[in-house]
Amino acid sequence: MLKINNLHVSIEGKKILKGINLEINPGEVHAIMGPNGSGKSTLANVLAGREDYVIEEGEVTFFGEDLLKLSPEDRARKGLFLSFQYPVEIPGVSMVNFMKTAVNEVRKYRGQKQLTASEFLKLMREKKELVELNSDLASRSVNEGFSGGEKKRNEIFQMAMLEPKLSILDETDSGLDIDALRTVASGVNALKSPQNATVLVTHYQRLLDYIVPDYVHVLYKGRIVKTAGKELAFELEEKGYDWIKKELDEEES
Amino acid sequence: MAETQNHILNEVTQGEYKYGFVTDIETETIAKGLNEDVVRKISELKGEPEFMLEFRLNAYRKWLQMEMPEWAHLKIPPIDYQDIIYYAAPKKKAQLDSLDEVDPELLNTFNKLGIPLEEQKLLSGVAVDAVMDSVSVKTTFKETLAEKGIIFCSFSDAVKEHPDLVKKYLGMSVPYDDNYFAALNSAVFSDGSFIYIPKGVRCPMELSTYFRINAAKTGQFERTLIIADDESYVSYLEGCTAPMRDENQLHAAVVEIIALEHAEVKYSTVQNWYPGDKAGRGGIYNFVTKRGLCKGESSKISWTQVETGSAITWKYPSCVLMGENSVGEFYSVAVTNNYQQADTGTKMIHIGKNTRSRIVSKGISAGFSDNSYRGLVKVIPRAENSRNFSQCDSLLLGDKCGAHTFPYIEVGNKSSIVEHEATTSKIGEDQIFYCNQRGISTEDAVAMIISGYVREVINQLPMEFAVEAQKLLQISLEGSVG
């Protein structure tokens, strides 16, 4: 569903991604790992359509369509979801209002009928349970006063509501204690299907104990330098990133 | 991102003013200019008793000695007070069958503004006094309200029918020499609404006045007086619009509220005077004095305002908390766009013991506009155990507008607590991107973020008007989001 071909990206003149190639098919779970500053979050944000970045070269297609030409909202409506590393607060806007607008926008785009208030509330109740979010969530403002764990669970809740084709989880495990991590992971696992795909962007291996990837990619200096099965994650956990860095730096020199 | 945002902000804030039409109707005016004879002429035209003329003349003589205030953060071009017409009334057609009958052209005007004056067409539960230029056109549900002893009529009628009440309360909250514009108003005011709620009566419907400026080269000087007797309650709403003209027109109103023991008055304003065009030409100068006197113990006065119109706004709806345990509230959303200027806020004067006040002010500036909050919280030494909480937020849309906060705090005793919080923010690109990523367009995202920002204030409005106010906000910001 997603094909990234030789993607080069810079921000403020600084090259961050230097030729990314990646193909993601329905039903797959990919983990993108790498040391800090390797370009993981940049990749996630570029795919979602954040405008601060300059695409220098390369193509990205999403179900055959040029993704980079689409506005961020159209990417979302076509089924691309980003779980933010730092979800922002929107004071005064209730979660119900926010989600209802989002869900109906997406439905409108997909040619589905708008949900009535009661249908929507029912859906919301169902999906909230997936991530064990408190029931007062509806009346609270978007992310306002949420704890770190609540914010991340709220991201997965929104993912459940929007039923995306491709979900990119950007450092969803960071700042979570083990219980919250389990809850978030079980939510993600419950949403997995042969029709959708998940990309886990993470620094650590521990999330991968709960969400098992089909492929693990190591991103380093803006390039995917290693791709293997889930066993690569264990290797990284054990040996750190230094051996990969060393290997590559030697190759370069 | 910044560019797209600016573009959308522009789109969102360039909405057209929808009430800019002119009604073609014969108007009776007096010659332009201001002098003692003009003041006498206005009083005579209205057939006023001696005490009213005296009030006007005192005010006029005082006004001559006063100077226009210059402390506000506003650039006010010089105003030629001799170039203004001080009285303009739609001409009455002699052949109308009854006194109650209104010229269909006027009914049409108010229909076009969304204010039908036929009672059966009105929003149920809202009584309206419609004022065009210098006179009241019609007051609805007068009889229904009279059954409960409630007086809701034009100021002119009140002077004729209830002179004792007018004499007793006129100037009690805003004395004729209170300030430059209040003195001017006291000298030449032509009409407005009068409300009296008797003891123990809870007014069963919203009372509302709709002010319309129509005639060119005229000023509108209306005066509203609300008296809530012991243990009574009333909720009142005013709205206003004016035609689009290249000239500036002066609107200098006075609103006085008096709340007696355990009485509560809720006063809401949706101000949408013509703001001028995108280049800053024309628009209303809105120089208004509004003050509520919480005279009785445990009385409460609450001001809610949604200010979107006017070229220049100078306005500080205030509460004088005289009665013990009395409460004053001020909730405000002030939007400025293009070249609009606003200097608005409130004064909370704590005089009685255990008095409480709350201020929530939300400013939104766009375009090249300038938006200031100015507020005074004063607690006199004997107002022990008084409390105030103020929250003043400013939101900037774009980078060519200004937001300023001028809070003044004077606390005269140690048992009182005054809190002030202030924030200034821009609509975050992060917030917009977050909404985009959930499938929400930038325009909808901005609208959503703004409505979240003002929610606390809009929630204070009567239900019927909250929706209108919300829409008005979107229209006045149309084209400015970025």
Side-chain angles (χ1 to χ4, degrees):
Chain A
M1 62 170 77
L2 185 80
K3 279 191 189 128
I4 305 177
N5 183 23
N6 191 31
L7 183 66
H8 291 251
V9 172
S10 68
I11 182 165
E12 287 162 3
K14 194 174 167 232
K15 285 198 89 177
I16 309 281
L17 300 182
K18 303 165 187 167
I20 300 280
N21 294 294
L22 184 64
E23 186 172 343
I24 293 168
N25 297 305
E28 294 176 350
V29 176
H30 291 246
I32 297 178
M33 303 184 69
N36 288 329
S38 57
K40 302 187 301 283
S41 282
T42 298
L43 180 60
N45 280 301
V46 165
L47 293 177
R50 199 183 268 272
E51 287 196 12
D52 310 336
Y53 302 94
V54 180
I55 314 289
E56 307 273 359
E57 213 184 315
E59 303 87 57
V60 181
T61 57
F62 188 48
F63 292 103
E65 198 172 351
D66 186 350
L67 182 76
L68 302 176
K69 281 208 175 117
L70 296 172
S71 67
E73 56 270 32
D74 279 347
R75 298 181 199 196
R77 292 162 185 168
K78 284 189 186 294
L80 189 146
F81 180 88
L82 174 65
S83 166
F84 285 76
Q85 185 176 2
Y86 305 108
V88 296
E89 302 186 355
I90 309 178
V93 177
S94 70
M95 269 311 292
V96 165
N97 189 10
F98 178 72
M99 247 9 265
K100 190 159 188 270
T101 311
V103 166
N104 279 332
E105 280 297 324
V106 168
R107 291 181 68 91
K108 192 162 81 190
Y109 192 83
R110 295 177 188 166
Q112 297 162 313
K113 73 166 185 61
Q114 306 281 289
L115 293 181
T116 64
S118 69
E119 285 168 337
F120 174 78
L121 290 173
K122 186 166 166 268
L123 182 70
M124 196 152 157
R125 261 198 310 276
E126 250 171 61
K127 303 293 185 185
K128 258 187 333 202
E129 277 169 23
L130 267 178
V131 284
E132 297 167 24
L133 263 180
N134 287 340
S135 48
D136 72 343
L137 170 92
S139 52
R140 288 166 67 180
S141 296
V142 178
N143 291 321
E144 198 184 31
F146 284 34
S147 69
E150 278 177 322
K151 281 184 183 167
K152 294 298 171 72
R153 275 187 284 167
N154 190 25
E155 293 293 290
I156 305 306
F157 159 71
Q158 294 177 45
M159 172 178 152
M161 291 294 288
L162 295 168
E163 299 176 345
K165 297 277 192 297
L166 175 66
S167 303
I168 303 166
L169 312 187
D170 188 9
E171 305 278 1
T172 296
D173 50 335
S174 69
L176 290 187
D177 62 33
I178 198 73
D179 292 327
L181 185 66
R182 263 196 211 122
T183 313
V184 164
S186 75
V188 173
N189 285 329
L191 295 169
K192 259 196 321 200
S193 83
Q195 282 77 45
N196 62 29
T198 310
V199 176
L200 308 165
V201 174
T202 180
H203 184 79
Y204 301 104
Q205 184 268 333
R206 62 174 196 159
L207 178 65
L208 310 182
D209 286 342
Y210 301 96
I211 307 171
V212 182
D214 302 302
Y215 300 95
V216 175
H217 311 277
V218 177
L219 195 61
Y220 180 59
K221 288 190 174 172
R223 264 194 288 263
I224 289 176
V225 293
K226 222 173 185 59
T227 294
K230 63 173 185 274
E231 63 287 350
L232 179 58
F234 294 114
E235 209 176 341
L236 287 169
E237 182 70 4
E238 205 177 301
K239 305 204 264 181
Y241 290 104
D242 286 350
W243 63 279
I244 293 189
K245 289 186 194 172
K246 215 174 143 197
E247 235 177 75
L248 284 158
D249 293 345
E250 272 166 17
E251 264 174 44
E252 267 177 39
S253 61
Chain B
M1 189 74 193
E3 245 174 61
T4 334
Q5 254 193 55
N6 271 325
H7 176 71
I8 293 174
L9 259 180
N10 281 331
E11 297 263 294
V12 172
T13 44
Q14 310 248 299
E16 295 298 324
Y17 188 73
K18 291 186 176 158
Y19 310 96
F21 65 90
V22 180
T23 306
D24 186 14
I25 193 161
E26 249 190 285
T27 305
E28 180 188 3
T29 57
I30 59 173
K32 69 179 181 187
L34 183 55
N35 53 48
E36 235 180 82
D37 289 341
V38 168
V39 176
R40 284 177 194 279
K41 178 82 183 167
I42 292 171
S43 191
E44 188 196 312
L45 276 168
K46 307 190 78 64
E48 286 177 348
E50 190 57 31
F51 82 91
M52 284 299 299
L53 177 62
E54 207 174 302
F55 181 84
R56 289 176 184 279
L57 288 174
N58 285 339
Y60 176 67
R61 287 166 192 154
K62 190 74 193 182
W63 179 74
L64 285 177
Q65 299 160 19
M66 297 170 100
E67 275 175 28
M68 203 164 115
E70 279 172 0
W71 40 260
H73 188 79
L74 298 170
K75 288 188 197 101
I76 308 175
I79 297 169
D80 183 356
Y81 290 93
Q82 297 307 333
D83 198 35
I84 294 172
I85 296 169
Y86 289 85
Y87 185 87
K91 230 177 216 168
K92 274 230 163 82
K93 286 188 182 159
Q95 64 270 35
L96 293 180
D97 291 342
S98 76
L99 280 176
D100 272 350
E101 203 166 322
V102 180
D103 187 333
E105 192 58 38
L106 287 177
L107 288 180
N108 257 336
T109 302
F110 284 94
N111 268 331
K112 256 165 105 175
L113 296 168
I115 319 286
L117 296 177
E118 293 94 337
E119 291 186 3
Q120 65 274 17
K121 285 191 194 158
L122 271 169
L123 280 171
S124 59
V126 184
V128 179
D129 182 21
V131 176
M132 175 117 119
D133 295 327
S134 303
V135 294
S136 167
V137 172
K138 182 173 169 77
T139 310
T140 60
F141 292 111
K142 239 169 142 171
E143 292 74 24
T144 323
L145 292 165
E147 283 166 23
K148 294 208 161 226
I150 295 167
I151 305 170
F152 178 43
C153 62
S154 70
F155 205 97
S156 314
D157 288 350
V159 170
K160 287 192 192 99
E161 290 159 29
H162 311 281
D164 295 347
L165 282 174
V166 174
K167 200 170 176 180
K168 184 170 175 190
Y169 291 105
L170 179 67
M172 185 182 271
S173 193
V174 181
Y176 66 81
D177 57 354
D178 187 79
N179 67 68
Y180 188 80
F181 297 115
L184 178 64
N185 172 284
S186 301
V188 301
F189 76 91
S190 43
D191 219 332
S193 298
F194 178 87
I195 295 166
Y196 173 79
I197 314 289
K199 273 185 192 154
V201 171
R202 214 184 143 82
C203 186
M205 49 176 82
E206 300 280 340
L207 303 186
S208 151
T209 305
Y210 195 90
F211 294 101
R212 172 75 178 169
I213 293 178
N214 186 56
K217 302 219 176 289
T218 58
Q220 192 178 52
F221 306 91
E222 85 272 2
R223 190 149 187 133
T224 299
L225 178 54
I226 301 175
I227 303 143
D229 214 325
D230 297 350
E231 282 158 32
S232 67
Y233 168 85
V234 64
S235 168
Y236 173 87
L237 182 122
E238 63 166 348
C240 33
T241 57
M244 297 201 243
R245 290 208 174 89
D246 283 348
E247 57 174 302
N248 293 107
Q249 280 179 283
L250 179 61
H251 171 255
V254 169
V255 175
E256 295 186 86
I257 303 176
I258 293 116
L260 302 179
E261 278 179 31
H262 295 274
E264 182 180 349
V265 179
K266 239 176 108 74
Y267 190 107
S268 314
T269 305
V270 177
Q271 188 266 105
N272 189 22
W273 293 118
Y274 178 52
D277 67 10
K278 279 163 200 158
R281 266 186 313 250
I284 303 292
Y285 293 162
N286 191 35
F287 303 151
V288 171
T289 305
K290 290 182 169 177
R291 197 172 304 144
L293 177 60
C294 283
K295 198 166 187 292
E297 146 195 354
S298 302
S299 56
K300 180 177 176 184
I301 293 177
S302 165
W303 298 100
T304 303
Q305 59 172 17
V306 176
E307 302 276 315
T308 60
S310 298
I312 306 178
T313 298
W314 178 97
K315 170 178 175 191
Y316 316 90
S318 304
C319 297
V320 179
L321 304 170
M322 212 151 99
E324 284 184 21
N325 298 309
S326 61
V327 178
E329 290 177 335
F330 174 74
Y331 296 94
S332 168
V333 173
V335 181
T336 53
N337 194 5
N338 298 319
Y339 288 90
Q340 281 177 278
Q341 307 176 59
D343 192 301
T344 183
T346 184
K347 287 189 279 188
M348 293 291 173
I349 314 292
H350 294 256
I351 295 172
K353 285 184 187 137
N354 304 315
T355 46
R356 279 167 292 146
S357 65
R358 182 179 173 83
I359 299 170
V360 178
S361 162
K362 305 271 182 178
I364 302 175
S365 343
F368 299 88
S369 70
D370 230 330
N371 199 329
S372 304
Y373 167 81
R374 185 181 305 276
L376 168 68
V377 176
K378 183 173 180 170
V379 181
I380 72 161
R382 72 178 167 87
E384 285 160 21
N385 297 311
S386 293
R387 297 226 39 175
N388 160 267
F389 174 78
S390 304
Q391 165 118 31
C392 303
D393 298 330
S394 311
L395 187 67
L396 296 165
L397 307 180
D399 51 10
K400 294 187 177 63
C401 47
H404 316 271
T405 306
F406 304 98
Y408 305 87
I409 297 170
E410 295 168 26
V411 183
N413 63 52
K414 289 205 165 74
S415 57
S416 296
I417 301 170
V418 172
E419 289 172 82
H420 180 91
E421 286 179 14
T423 65
T424 300
S425 53
K426 294 186 89 166
I427 285 198
E429 289 179 13
D430 287 350
Q431 287 175 326
I432 293 177
F433 182 63
Y434 191 80
C435 295
N436 287 161
Q437 216 302 305
R438 300 304 185 244
I440 301 168
S441 70
T442 302
E443 207 169 324
D444 290 347
V446 168
M448 190 183 266
I449 293 164
I450 289 174
S451 74
Y453 171 75
V454 301
R455 188 165 76 166
E456 202 181 341
V457 174
I458 300 288
N459 280 351
Q460 298 295 326
L461 287 175
M463 267 286 259
E464 297 89 330
F465 302 106
V467 181
E468 283 302 308
Q470 194 74 261
K471 270 193 235 155
L472 183 58
L473 275 182
Q474 303 306 353
I475 292 167
S476 31
L477 285 173
E478 220 155 82
S480 82
V481 176

